[in-house]
Amino acid sequence: MAQAKRYAVAASGSWVDEEEGRRRLPAGEAHAWEQGRNETVCGLSLSRSQLARFPGVGWPDILPESGGAADRVQRVCPRCASVAGRRGGDGRPRWHRTDPRP
């Protein structure tokens, strides 16, 4: 079985959290990003869209229900969320077919 991809975050803005030792965190609109690539999962170019990279912040941390680095994230890209998952890397689909048709 293939190992789940781990996505980092690219965002339109940033802020510094003084409580966590001056750590730079994402703000504004957040996108999923694979390290080593110059575009987001949804296809936006990082440089042309002026998105900042956050390699130390994982995708599940910016989701509003996580509470982690999501304090100043205003919008999560729906296309990136559909690829990277709304519930993190180990999330399963909400439905499960128990009796499939032949």
Side-chain angles (χ1 to χ4, degrees):
M1 188 169 143
Q3 187 174 4
K5 291 184 179 181
R6 298 198 185 271
Y7 295 102
V9 177
S12 60
S14 66
W15 66 286
V16 177
D17 187 6
E18 299 292 335
E19 294 176 1
E20 289 191 25
R22 300 192 47 86
R23 182 176 173 205
R24 194 172 68 98
L25 296 171
E29 184 173 349
H31 294 268
W33 164 65
E34 285 184 75
Q35 292 187 21
R37 302 205 42 155
N38 289 327
E39 64 182 10
T40 63
V41 174
C42 66
L44 291 177
S45 170
L46 293 174
S47 61
R48 288 186 182 184
S49 301
Q50 297 180 347
L51 296 173
R53 298 174 177 106
F54 297 89
V57 179
W59 177 254
D61 293 336
I62 60 99
L63 298 175
E65 54 270 9
S66 74
D71 291 343
R72 305 242 174 119
V73 173
Q74 297 172 350
R75 181 176 183 268
V76 176
C77 173
R79 292 186 292 173
C80 289
S82 69
V83 173
R86 287 292 269 170
R87 288 160 279 140
D90 60 344
R92 294 188 202 132
R94 294 182 188 156
W95 57 272
H96 178 71
R97 180 172 287 155
T98 56
D99 189 18
R101 295 183 192 174

